[in-house]
C-alpha cells in the first residue's frame, strides 16, 4: 500500500463510529540497514483529524503563529494519534481500530514524549 492510498480514509472505532479521516502518518527510522547506510522507515502510527481531511503542515504540533494554529485547530476539531498496533483492519471502506473513541490519545500527548 502506498501512503497516498491511506491518506483521507475514514477511521472507524471499535463500536463502528466514524471518528475522522487519516491526515498523516508518523514514521520511525528503525528498520533494516539500507545500501545508503541509513535505516529503513516504517509507519509507527496514524494521525487522524475529526472534521475534515486536510493537510496539516505541522500546525497540529504547535508550530507557527498562534493565531494561525488556533484557526487550523478550530477547523480540524480533535486530532488523535493512533499507534500502528491499534489498527485492526484497512479496507477500501476505511480503517478500523481496536480502541473506542473515548480511549484515543490526543496528538498533543505524543509531542510530550
Amino acid at each position: 500500500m502506498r501512503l497516498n492510498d491511506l491518506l483521507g480514509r475514514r477511521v472507524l472505532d471499535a463500536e463502528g463510529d466514524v471518528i475522522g479521516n487519516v491526515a498523516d502518518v508518523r514514521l520511525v527510522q528503525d528498520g533494516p540497514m539500507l545500501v545508503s547506510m541509513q535505516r529503513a522507515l516504517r509507519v509507527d502510527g496514524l494521525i487522524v483529524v475529526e472534521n475534515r481531511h486536510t493537510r496539516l503542515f505541522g500546525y497540529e504540533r504547535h508550530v507557527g503563529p498562534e493565531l494561525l494554529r488556533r484557526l487550523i485547530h478550530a477547523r480540524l476539531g480533535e486530532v488523535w494519534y493512533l499507534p500502528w498496533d491499534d489498527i485492526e483492519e484497512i479496507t477500501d471502506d476505511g480503517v478500523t481500530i481496536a480502541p473506542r473513541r473515548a480511549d484515543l490519545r490526543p496528538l498533543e500527548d505524543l509531542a510530550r514524549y
Side-chain angles (χ1 to χ4, degrees):
M1 172 180 276
R2 294 185 168 274
L3 176 61
N4 212 27
D5 297 333
L6 191 57
L7 295 176
R9 286 196 192 207
R10 69 185 179 149
V11 178
L12 298 102
D13 70 3
E15 298 172 343
D17 297 327
V18 176
I19 62 166
N21 296 307
V22 177
D24 207 348
V25 297
R26 180 172 188 245
L27 300 173
V28 176
Q29 194 170 15
D30 65 356
M33 203 57 113
L34 301 173
V35 182
S36 63
M37 300 304 292
Q38 293 182 341
R39 295 206 172 269
L41 296 168
R42 71 173 173 83
V43 176
D44 184 59
L46 304 178
I47 297 172
V48 176
V49 296
E50 179 180 27
N51 292 336
R52 305 183 167 88
H53 170 65
T54 187
R55 300 283 185 225
L56 300 176
F57 301 112
Y59 295 113
E60 78 285 359
R61 294 181 312 234
H62 305 290
V63 175
E66 177 75 22
L67 179 59
L68 186 54
R69 284 197 327 260
R70 286 179 189 242
L71 290 171
I72 296 292
H73 277 270
R75 177 186 161 115
L76 296 177
E78 294 290 328
V79 180
W80 296 285
Y81 173 71
L82 302 173
W84 191 252
D85 292 340
D86 288 350
I87 309 295
E88 290 287 314
E89 182 179 32
I90 300 175
T91 65
D92 290 339
D93 294 330
V95 177
T96 305
I97 61 171
R100 295 175 306 126
R101 179 186 182 119
D103 300 327
L104 298 179
R105 283 176 42 192
L107 180 64
E108 52 204 39
D109 285 356
L110 180 67
R112 295 181 190 144
Y113 297 108

